[in-house]
Amino acid sequence: MTSATQGVVIPKGQDEKSEKIMVYTSTSLYWGEVVVKEVIRVSTWLRTNAAPDRITLYNASGIITTTPVNAKPLHYGELNIPASQIHAYHLMPPARDPIDFDPTEPNRRMESVIALVSTFMFKGSLRLSANADLKKYLEVTRESFTAIYDAEITSGVIPSLGPISVPFVLVRQDTTSFAKR
């Protein structure tokens, strides 16, 4: 089965689905559709063993985010991004997955943080142990991607992008600076 948007056919098997995502690298912001198995939860995909070495975006667009001069989107039928270069990603609004935790779980709390990713600022919350703080969390956690909940994303270089609000974003821990709000 296949579907087409913007004229490019997206190759999709019977047990696959496509989702629109936004991907942040050190120099660019890209958006487009990924194809994954139906059982994959795209918003947490890169945290799993099913994460690929490269993400293929179909009907992709992108902008260079290191200079405000060329904020005009470039378009690609297919764009392959090394997963190692992805600093953050999320489902494209208004799409959303159900939350990935039990909000009634005892001894957990949300900590307001700012995550600085390249030229972007992600204001949101980390889910922490009740007796941990941001510094301790970052010292102990060895995950590649950290979840930021209820995030508002802005660009210091391209303010015309406006704020992007998402319920869930993953940021690569080793390329992100974290601050308390």
Side-chain angles (χ1 to χ4, degrees):
M1 178 169 190
T2 62
S3 67
T5 55
Q6 298 176 2
V8 175
V9 176
I10 300 172
K12 213 171 15 172
Q14 285 183 323
D15 63 341
E16 294 178 320
K17 64 181 177 180
S18 67
E19 294 275 354
K20 291 182 179 180
I21 65 170
M22 297 180 83
V23 174
Y24 302 77
T25 69
S26 62
T27 60
S28 303
L29 167 62
Y30 300 106
W31 58 95
E33 290 184 67
V34 292
V35 174
V36 297
K37 296 290 185 189
E38 283 282 349
V39 298
I40 298 291
R41 182 182 184 153
V42 176
S43 60
T44 59
W45 185 27
L46 295 185
R47 276 183 155 174
T48 69
N49 292 336
D53 291 333
R54 289 185 175 273
I55 299 287
T56 301
L57 291 179
Y58 296 96
N59 299 314
S61 296
I63 56 174
I64 296 170
T65 59
T66 54
T67 177
V69 174
N70 185 17
K72 198 171 190 178
L74 302 169
H75 303 285
Y76 313 94
E78 179 181 310
L79 177 66
N80 293 280
I81 305 168
S84 62
Q85 291 183 14
I86 296 174
H87 294 266
Y89 83 102
H90 57 81
L91 290 174
M92 182 177 278
R96 64 186 315 135
D97 277 336
I99 57 173
D100 66 337
F101 62 87
D102 177 2
T104 64
E105 182 183 10
N107 302 319
R108 304 293 271 173
R109 65 182 179 81
M110 293 298 219
E111 171 91 16
S112 292
V113 297
I114 297 171
L116 302 168
V117 178
S118 182
T119 62
F120 289 91
M121 183 175 359
F122 295 71
K123 292 180 182 176
S125 299
L126 278 175
R127 186 155 171 81
L128 305 176
S129 166
N131 49 357
D133 61 10
L134 176 61
K135 183 177 184 233
K136 187 67 158 175
Y137 173 83
L138 294 171
E139 286 174 355
V140 173
T141 306
R142 296 289 179 243
E143 60 193 1
S144 296
F145 284 92
T146 296
I148 305 287
Y149 298 92
D150 298 319
E152 180 180 273
I153 306 161
T154 56
S155 170
V157 175
I158 309 172
S160 63
L161 286 176
I164 300 169
S165 295
V166 294
F168 183 84
V169 61
L170 288 181
V171 297
R172 185 176 294 277
Q173 200 174 85
D174 66 357
T175 60
T176 301
S177 297
F178 292 89
K180 283 184 165 185
R181 288 206 284 173

